Amino acid sequence: MKSWLHKAVVLAIALFGMMLAGGCGAGENNSAAADTNKPLVINLSGGDSGLPSPYSHYPRGPGTFKMSLIFDSLLERGEQGYIPWLAEKWELSPDGKVYTFTLRQGVKWHDGRPLTAQDVKFTLEYFAKHIPVSNDLEIDGKTIVESAEVINDHTIKIAVTKPNATILGRLGTVRIIPRHVWEKVDDPKKFTAPAATIGCGPYVLKEYHKEQGAYKFEAFAGYWGPKPQVQVLQFIPVSDSMLAFNKGEIDLTAVTADLLARYENNKEYVIKQNPAFWGYRLLFNMEKRPELKDKQVRQAFAYAINRQELVDKVARGAAIPASAGYLPVSHIWYNPNVKQYDFNIEKAKELLQGKKLTFTLLISSEEARIAELLKISLAQAGIELVIRSVDGKTRDAAVISGDYELIINGHGGWGGDADLLRTAYVAQSPDQSPSSRGIRGYSNETISTLCKQQLVELDPVKRKMLIFRLQEVIAEEIPQIPLMNTTGYIVYRPAKYSNWRYMFDHHEVSHNKLSYLAVQ
C-alpha cells in the first residue's frame, strides 16, 4: 500500500510540475486572441444550474462544474488521475487513518483574505453539520472524518474513521469555503448573498440570471495557480446550440453523428469524440411493483430490450450498448466477461412463462425516442409500457422520492471510482443525487458483501478482483438495466480556442476546470 501510494504521489507531483511548466510557457495550444493580448471571451450555451455556491447549485454536472470554477479543492481531477491543487503534497500514516496535507502558500480568497488550514478544518466541520449539494464526506449516512487538527497555517492532519480505498479522492475533492464568510451562516441553503460565491478558485461570478440561465465569470486576478487562459467565460441562452455555434454565438457545441460531415475535413473545425462515461439506465422500483423482485422477470426485460437498436436509432451510432455489469467499456476496471443479454424475444417469453405485465414508465421529454423503442420491443415479449413524460427536474425528483414504477435516468459519472457500484446497487442515503440512487426494494447479500469488501480493500490488485466479481454478480442479477453509454461528439473552432481537455473520469471537456487554465 505504501509503495503504491508513494508512486501515486510521485506521479501526481510530476504531472503538476508539467502543468506549472505549461503555465509559464503560456500555452502554445491556446487561442489566437491570447496571442494578441486581447481578453479572451468564451461563450457556451446556457441553462439554469442554480447559484454556484456549494449549497445552491443544481446537483447534476453543469451545476457542480460552475461551482468548481469558483471553489478550489485540495486535489483536482487531471487527465490521468488526481493532481495536487490547494495541497501541494500529502502523507498517509502507516495505519491508513491519518492524512497530513501541506497547503500551498499565497492562496487568497476572492475578497483578498488569505486561505489557511483553519479554512479547511472549518469546511470539514461545517459540511458535517450542513450537508452540501455534492457531499463525498459521508458513506452510508456516516461521516468519514473523525477529526481535523490544524498544525500550522499551511498544514492540517485529518483523521478518518477507518481506512478505505476512496478516502483520498473524497477528502481531496471537497470544495473549501472561507470560514470568515460562512461561520455566521446558520441556514446555508438560504444564503444567497454575493458573499456566498466568494471562493479561492480561478473565476469570480460577475452575473447570474436564473430566468435566462445566463452566467458571466471573470478570471480572478489574484489566483495562485495556473493562469486562466479564458478571461471571461459566459453561458448564454440559445434556443438551438448548433445554430448558435454556426453563427459564432457560442464557441463549442455537441454535434450529432448525422451532422458530422458538415465539419469534417475542414481546418476551421476540430471534432472530438467523448469517452463513454455518460449513459442511460432503466430503474426498477420493486417497492411499488414487487413482481420485479423475480430475477426471471428482470432478465426477461434485459433480453427484450434491443440495446444496439438504441445505439443505432437514438444515438446514431455515437454510443455503445451498456454492460449488464454496469461499468462501461471505457472504465479502467470494466470486466468484459460478464453475462450479457443479446436481444432475444423468445428467451424473454420463456422467462416470463406466459405472464402479461403492464408498467408505467416515467421519462423526461429527452428520452421519448428511447421509450418508444422500449415500448415496441417489450410488447413483443408481453410487457406493456404506459409512458408518462415530464420535465427533467420532475423526473429527478421522482428518482429521489421513489414515485415511479419504471424510470429512465440519463446522467454522467459512469467513469468514476468503482465504488459507484455500491452507491448504485446498495446504498440508500437521503442525500444521494439522482445519478447515484440505488434500486428501491432490492437487496442481495452477495452484492452487499462484495461492495463492502471492495471499499475497504487497499491493495489495488485485490480490489480490482473484487470489482470484477461484483460486475459478474450484478450482470446475473440485473437489478436494473444499463441501456447505453453515449460517446457523442463536440466541435469547436481551434482558431478561437483549443485548450479543451477531458478529466480522467469524465466525458465533458467544458466541465473540466483545467480546460480554461494554462496547463499542458
Side-chain angles (χ1 to χ4, degrees), residues 440-455:
R440 288 182 175 272
Y442 176 79
S443 65
N444 177 280
E445 186 175 347
T446 302
I447 292 176
S448 297
T449 299
L450 286 167
C451 283
K452 292 176 183 175
Q453 289 175 341
Q454 64 79 28
L455 183 60

Side-chain angles (χ1 to χ4, degrees), residues 2 25 118 125 132 210 233 238 251 269 283 313 321 407 469:
K2 290 179 68 177
Q118 290 288 357
E125 294 174 348
K210 182 177 178 61
L233 178 59
V238 297
D251 297 304
Y269 305 106
L283 279 80
K313 294 184 178 179
I407 201 166
R469 175 61 183 148

Side-chain angles (χ1 to χ4, degrees), residues 288-330:
K288 285 191 175 292
R289 297 301 299 267
E291 58 267 56
L292 291 167
K293 290 178 181 290
D294 184 344
K295 184 173 74 174
Q296 290 199 166
V297 173
R298 303 195 299 270
Q299 290 182 333
F301 267 90
Y303 279 116
I305 292 174
N306 190 341
R307 290 172 298 147
Q308 187 60 50
E309 182 181 47
L310 300 179
V311 170
D312 296 338
K313 294 184 178 179
V314 179
R316 305 293 189 193
I320 55 176
S323 170
Y326 196 86
L327 294 186
V329 172
S330 302

Side-chain angles (χ1 to χ4, degrees), residues 150-439:
V150 173
I151 305 304
N152 56 47
D153 279 353
H154 302 289
T155 308
I156 185 167
K157 283 187 174 182
I158 302 173
V160 298
T161 52
K162 53 185 176 182
N164 80 52
T166 67
I167 293 287
L168 182 61
R170 290 173 180 275
L171 292 177
T173 53
V174 170
R175 300 292 149 179
I176 307 304
I177 58 176
R179 182 179 69 167
H180 65 276
V181 170
W182 292 85
E183 61 185 349
K184 298 178 182 177
V185 178
D186 296 324
D187 189 350
K189 293 183 179 179
K190 294 182 179 178
F191 181 45
T192 57
T197 56
I198 290 177
C200 63
Y203 287 92
V204 176
L205 180 68
K206 302 300 288 188
E207 295 178 12
Y208 166 51
H209 302 283
K210 182 177 178 61
E211 296 75 16
Q212 301 174 1
Y215 297 79
K216 181 179 181 180
F217 296 89
E218 288 185 2
F220 173 38
Y223 190 51
W224 64 270
K227 183 179 179 181
Q229 297 276 34
V230 177
Q231 281 71 50
V232 178
L233 178 59
Q234 298 183 123
F235 296 85
I236 60 176
V238 297
S239 57
D240 184 317
S241 64
M242 287 300 307
L243 184 61
F245 178 77
N246 292 336
K247 290 181 176 179
E249 294 172 353
I250 59 174
D251 297 304
L252 178 147
T253 187
V255 57
T256 56
D258 48 356
L259 293 178
L260 274 182
R262 179 182 300 178
Y263 306 100
E264 289 176 327
N265 302 314
N266 185 334
K267 292 182 179 179
E268 185 179 352
Y269 305 106
V270 169
I271 298 168
K272 285 182 178 289
Q273 186 169 22
N274 301 324
F277 291 151
W278 203 99
Y280 294 98
R281 54 181 174 144
L282 176 66
L283 279 80
F284 298 136
N285 187 337
M286 301 181 204
E287 291 175 350
K288 285 191 175 292
R289 297 301 299 267
E291 58 267 56
L292 291 167
K293 290 178 181 290
D294 184 344
K295 184 173 74 174
Q296 290 199 166
V297 173
R298 303 195 299 270
Q299 290 182 333
F301 267 90
Y303 279 116
I305 292 174
N306 190 341
R307 290 172 298 147
Q308 187 60 50
E309 182 181 47
L310 300 179
V311 170
D312 296 338
K313 294 184 178 179
V314 179
R316 305 293 189 193
I320 55 176
S323 170
Y326 196 86
L327 294 186
V329 172
S330 302
H331 197 281
I332 58 171
W333 283 352
Y334 164 69
N335 182 349
N337 300 315
V338 303
K339 178 186 180 77
Q340 298 296 350
Y341 297 83
D342 294 333
F343 180 54
N344 188 333
I345 290 295
E346 294 307 313
K347 183 67 175 178
K349 288 180 178 177
E350 177 185 328
L351 288 165
L352 288 173
Q353 299 178 323
K355 294 176 186 171
K356 301 294 181 183
L357 300 170
T358 300
F359 296 91
T360 298
L361 172 63
L362 187 64
I363 62 168
S364 75
S365 56
E366 295 179 357
E367 288 109 29
R369 182 61 174 146
I370 296 176
E372 291 171 4
L373 294 174
L374 295 190
K375 181 181 177 73
I376 293 170
S377 62
L378 286 166
Q380 298 175 54
I383 300 173
E384 181 184 356
L385 294 185
V386 177
I387 299 172
R388 181 180 165 225
S389 180
V390 295
D391 62 80
K393 290 184 178 180
T394 302
R395 187 272 316 276
D396 284 353
V399 173
I400 293 172
S401 67
D403 187 18
Y404 65 91
E405 294 181 1
L406 307 178
I407 201 166
I408 294 177
N409 196 10
H411 55 83
W414 297 56
D417 186 280
D419 188 49
L420 64 87
L421 295 175
R422 181 183 57 80
T423 58
Y425 288 89
V426 176
Q428 288 292 348
S429 168
D431 299 314
Q432 279 179 257
S433 75
S435 62
S436 63
R437 282 273 159 171
I439 300 104

